[in-house]
Amino acid sequence: MTIWTILAGGAGVVALLGAGTLLLPKNVHVERHAKIAASPETVLELAASNHGYQTFNPYLTSDPELKIKPFGPDTGLGSGFHFDGKEGKGTQTVAKVTETSVRYDIDLGAMGKPVQEISAQGLPDGTKVTWTMDMDLGFNPVARVFGLFLDGMVGRSFEQGLDNLASAT
């Protein structure tokens, strides 16, 4: 066996692994729910406000040194903030506000552009709050492998945020 045969075999294995990652899911969805003892209006008012969001921001819990720099209006469409901390940096902008939800466009630079939403459904004794994230991983093989772990990582953050929201209301 020559060195060229070994190199060709190794290149074939790498190509096969790279192609195999394209079989992994392109789109990732993360979702968590909690029952909050507050009205849907209160939940959505906090979620649509720069200041209000920071009262339950899960990343401030995990990184007290997280730098937050608000921009745009104080609340509603176009309000948002730049963030920079140990778990990453980027921007979060309120992209849509309805009677039942607030949608955020997130820009993480090279890490992607997920969309998050917090929705609030009134219950007889509180509010069911649902926090979701959807992300298109494209054709990047590294991102697709990383996508396999996003539910666990982001899901824990959403759970912390929902706990924080319950305490803030």
Side-chain angles (χ1 to χ4, degrees):
M1 190 179 294
T2 68
I3 187 74
W4 296 112
T5 305
I6 294 170
L7 289 175
V13 168
V14 168
L16 187 59
L17 288 173
T21 61
L22 295 178
L23 298 174
L24 295 174
K26 178 182 179 208
N27 296 301
V28 173
H29 178 80
V30 178
E31 184 170 313
R32 296 296 189 272
H33 309 275
K35 183 177 167 189
I36 307 284
S39 71
E41 295 79 19
T42 299
V43 169
L44 295 174
E45 183 179 306
L46 287 173
S49 158
N50 274 331
H51 173 74
Y53 185 88
Q54 301 315 320
T55 64
F56 66 90
N57 185 341
Y59 299 99
L60 280 171
T61 303
S62 62
D63 181 4
E65 301 299 315
L66 180 66
K67 294 178 185 79
I68 300 289
K69 183 179 177 189
F71 61 81
D74 291 335
T75 190
L77 196 62
S79 67
F81 57 93
H82 300 279
F83 57 90
D84 187 356
K86 68 180 183 180
E87 296 183 44
K89 67 180 184 175
T91 61
Q92 177 170 311
T93 308
V94 174
K96 185 176 182 180
V97 179
T98 71
E99 290 182 11
T100 59
S101 67
V102 176
R103 190 187 85 211
Y104 309 99
D105 288 343
I106 315 277
D107 187 345
L108 302 172
M111 295 294 292
K113 295 183 177 186
V115 173
Q116 290 187 23
E117 184 173 284
I118 294 176
S119 62
Q121 175 187 1
L123 301 171
D125 56 347
T127 299
K128 178 183 178 184
V129 180
T130 303
W131 196 334
T132 64
M133 180 193 80
D134 291 289
M135 186 169 184
D136 182 340
L137 302 172
F139 292 103
N140 182 328
V142 174
R144 289 200 180 189
V145 170
F146 182 68
L148 296 173
F149 304 98
L150 275 177
D151 185 79
M153 294 177 350
V154 174
R156 280 192 300 273
S157 296
F158 286 1
E159 290 164 7
Q160 180 64 61
L162 290 166
D163 287 346
N164 293 351
L165 180 59
S167 297
T169 56

